[in-house]
């Protein structure tokens, strides 16, 4: 019984849809996938032939009927259908079960519009997610860094860098 309960917990996943790479985190297993955000598609029928690293290796080496597409631009979906196919591939790669329908948290840039957020959620749900949730990248980074995001406190980090000699005040200059 306990093994089954942990399996269900492991079905939840978080996805960082990046313009260059996509990261997939599965609860209880950590980061399980770090692949380029590229899909090789047969332009005749639109079916994906390769996704991730395999598709990236095909860039510039394919016949004219195969096209390598990056479905994201500046962190938002540029090609909805291709993004959906990429997400579907990543879900099936992470969860080998045929009918896996994980809950999914997806990181998005903080400046995207409501329409772009809905497009990300719909792509995840069409790809097979039971439910999709959006989280902005700065919030995800704060949670990942272990900051107390549920408390009304602030954190500021600074680094001290030695100033060049010409910026330092000299003892001969009167203040």
């Amino acid at each position: 019984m306990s093994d089954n309960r942990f399996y269900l917990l492991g079905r939840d996943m978080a996805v960082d849809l990046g313009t260059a790479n996509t990261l997939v985190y599965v609860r209880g297993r950590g980061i399980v996938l770090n692949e380029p955000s590229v899909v090789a598609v047969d332009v005749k029928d639109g079916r994906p032939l390769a996704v991730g690293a395999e598709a990236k290796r095909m860039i510039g080496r394919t016949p004219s009927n195969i096209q390598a597409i990056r479905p994201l631009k500046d962190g938002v979906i540029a090609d909805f259908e291709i993004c959906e196919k990429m997400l579907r591939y990543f879900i099936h790669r992470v969860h080998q079960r045929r009918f896996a329908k994980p809950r999914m948290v997806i990181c998005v840039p903080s400046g995207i519009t409501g329409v772009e957020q809905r497009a990300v959620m719909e792509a995840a749900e069409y790809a097979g997610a039971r439910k999709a949730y959006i989280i902005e990248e700065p919030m995800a980074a704060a949670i990942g860094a272990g900051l107390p995001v549920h408390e009304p406190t602030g954190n500021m980090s600074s680094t001290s860098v030695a100033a060049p000699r010409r910026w330092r005040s000299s003892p001969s200059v009167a203040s």
Side-chain angles (χ1 to χ4, degrees):
M1 176 68 182
S2 64
D3 290 338
N4 191 19
R5 182 180 57 200
F6 286 118
Y7 177 75
L8 291 174
L9 288 175
R11 287 176 44 172
D12 292 345
M13 59 192 292
V15 178
D16 181 5
L17 281 176
T19 303
N21 284 337
T22 297
L23 290 168
V24 177
Y25 170 92
V26 174
R27 184 186 295 180
R29 291 171 49 197
I31 296 175
V32 294
L33 194 84
N34 182 0
E35 293 271 342
S37 299
V38 182
V39 180
V41 178
D42 186 342
V43 294
K44 293 177 183 173
D45 58 8
R47 68 185 166 89
L49 301 174
V51 179
E54 186 180 352
K56 186 175 182 182
R57 283 193 298 272
M58 295 173 82
I59 294 175
R61 301 178 182 173
T62 59
S64 60
N65 67 317
I66 298 173
Q67 185 178 16
I69 300 171
R70 291 190 174 273
L72 295 130
K73 183 173 173 59
D74 299 326
V76 295
I77 296 176
D79 190 325
F80 183 84
E81 287 181 34
I82 300 300
C83 185
E84 176 197 334
K85 290 174 183 178
M86 182 178 74
L87 282 171
R88 183 181 310 275
Y89 171 81
F90 289 150
I91 289 171
H92 290 301
R93 180 143 173 226
V94 169
H95 297 297
Q96 266 73 44
R97 295 186 71 150
R98 186 173 179 183
F99 298 107
K101 293 187 74 68
R103 290 183 300 177
M104 190 180 295
V105 175
I106 303 174
C107 292
V108 296
S110 59
I112 71 169
T113 66
V115 171
E116 291 166 333
Q117 283 185 3
R118 272 194 306 282
V120 171
M121 288 178 61
E122 287 177 9
E125 289 173 356
Y126 289 154
R130 179 175 9 137
K131 182 73 175 154
Y133 302 93
I134 299 293
I135 185 170
E136 292 182 349
E137 288 171 350
M139 178 63 80
I143 293 168
L147 296 177
V149 295
H150 59 283
E151 296 175 11
T153 60
N155 290 288
M156 186 166 89
S157 172
S158 68
T159 57
S160 59
V161 178
R165 184 172 294 276
R166 66 175 189 248
W167 292 356
R168 297 183 198 142
S169 61
S170 65
S172 62
V173 176
S175 350

